[in-house]
Amino acid sequence: MSVLNFSLTKHPTCALSIQAEDDLIFHCGWRRFTASALFSQHTTGNKHKAERFLPASSTVVASVYGPICYAPIPVLVFKNDPFSGQHFLVGTGSLLGVNPNRLIIQKAILSGHPYKINRRVATIRFMFNSRDDIMFFKPVELWSKHGRRGHIKDPLGTHGHMKCMFNRSLKAQDTVCMSLYKRVFPKWTFSPVVAAPQSSM
């Protein structure tokens, strides 16, 4: 058992919205199993951004726990309808390889609002709730929706207010954001037992 990475494209006839970590049926060569896939962008770098849904137009990489296979091998992915018991074709593709060290990165954005503005220095609130959180995330760069860049100078009080400095003056209607990244892993939901599809008649 290892992490299988499939190059997957959504089938044109599929009108379903396929979310990441949904239970899917994989027909990989002569094997057939059920697993939860984690979707990520198909890029040439060493870090790949996680996708929440299977896109309709582009190719993504689906990472699942499964028995070791050797590329190149075709794959068909189906979704089981719990009401009718039918299997709907979701996507087609091939095996990229077996690589448990592939880095799948999930992005989260924290947002706050300016409370007091004095030229390039502003007091930001609603991003954190405690002084300890502000001190922990102090090295992370801040950015705003109007293109300002800045950093945290000091926490103010104990309720999450903080003093921040930016490269230009901040506007009152602006929103201050912080980008955070973490590595995510596929869920261990492998099952070699696949229910037979029901007839549509």
Side-chain angles (χ1 to χ4, degrees):
M1 298 292 289
S2 186
V3 178
L4 307 179
N5 299 309
F6 298 103
S7 175
L8 199 63
T9 304
K10 192 171 184 179
H11 200 266
T13 61
C14 180
L16 301 174
S17 177
I18 307 301
Q19 193 172 0
E21 297 182 353
D22 280 353
D23 288 334
L24 300 174
I25 301 170
F26 289 84
H27 289 253
C28 181
W30 54 272
R31 288 190 172 99
R32 185 171 63 173
F33 57 89
T34 304
S36 297
L38 193 63
F39 303 127
S40 60
Q41 292 179 350
H42 190 17
T43 56
T44 57
N46 58 353
K47 298 179 181 68
H48 311 277
K49 185 176 179 291
E51 296 284 350
R52 295 178 60 193
F53 295 91
L54 179 63
S57 57
S58 60
T59 301
V60 296
V61 176
S63 301
V64 297
Y65 282 107
I68 294 176
C69 303
Y70 298 97
I73 190 170
V75 61
L76 297 175
V77 182
F78 293 87
K79 174 75 174 174
N80 184 27
D81 188 0
F83 300 105
S84 64
Q86 299 180 12
H87 293 177
F88 296 101
L89 181 62
V90 170
T92 59
S94 61
L95 178 66
L96 279 179
V98 180
N99 184 13
N101 297 321
R102 179 184 170 89
L103 296 178
I104 303 174
I105 307 299
Q106 187 177 28
K107 181 179 180 180
I109 297 177
L110 303 181
S111 63
H113 300 282
Y115 177 58
K116 292 179 182 178
I117 301 173
N118 184 11
R119 296 183 183 178
R120 291 172 52 199
V121 180
T123 301
I124 308 299
R125 62 179 178 176
F126 300 143
M127 185 178 288
F128 300 106
N129 293 321
S130 68
R131 185 184 184 94
D132 296 335
D133 292 341
I134 297 173
M135 295 303 295
F136 182 81
F137 290 104
K138 190 175 181 180
V140 183
E141 184 186 23
L142 300 174
W143 56 275
S144 73
K145 292 187 177 180
H146 287 205
R148 275 50 169 179
R149 298 279 174 175
H151 62 275
I152 300 173
K153 286 187 67 178
D154 296 308
L156 299 175
T158 59
H159 297 290
H161 292 207
M162 57 185 178
K163 185 185 291 185
C164 304
M165 178 171 282
F166 296 88
N167 57 350
R168 286 184 291 168
S169 179
L170 202 65
K171 296 182 180 179
Q173 67 270 20
D174 207 347
T175 302
V176 179
C177 302
M178 177 185 290
S179 298
L180 301 176
Y181 302 88
K182 72 170 183 177
R183 185 179 180 186
V184 291
F185 301 90
K187 287 187 176 180
W188 183 275
T189 57
F190 170 80
S191 175
V193 179
V194 177
Q198 301 295 324
S199 176
S200 60
M201 299 301 292

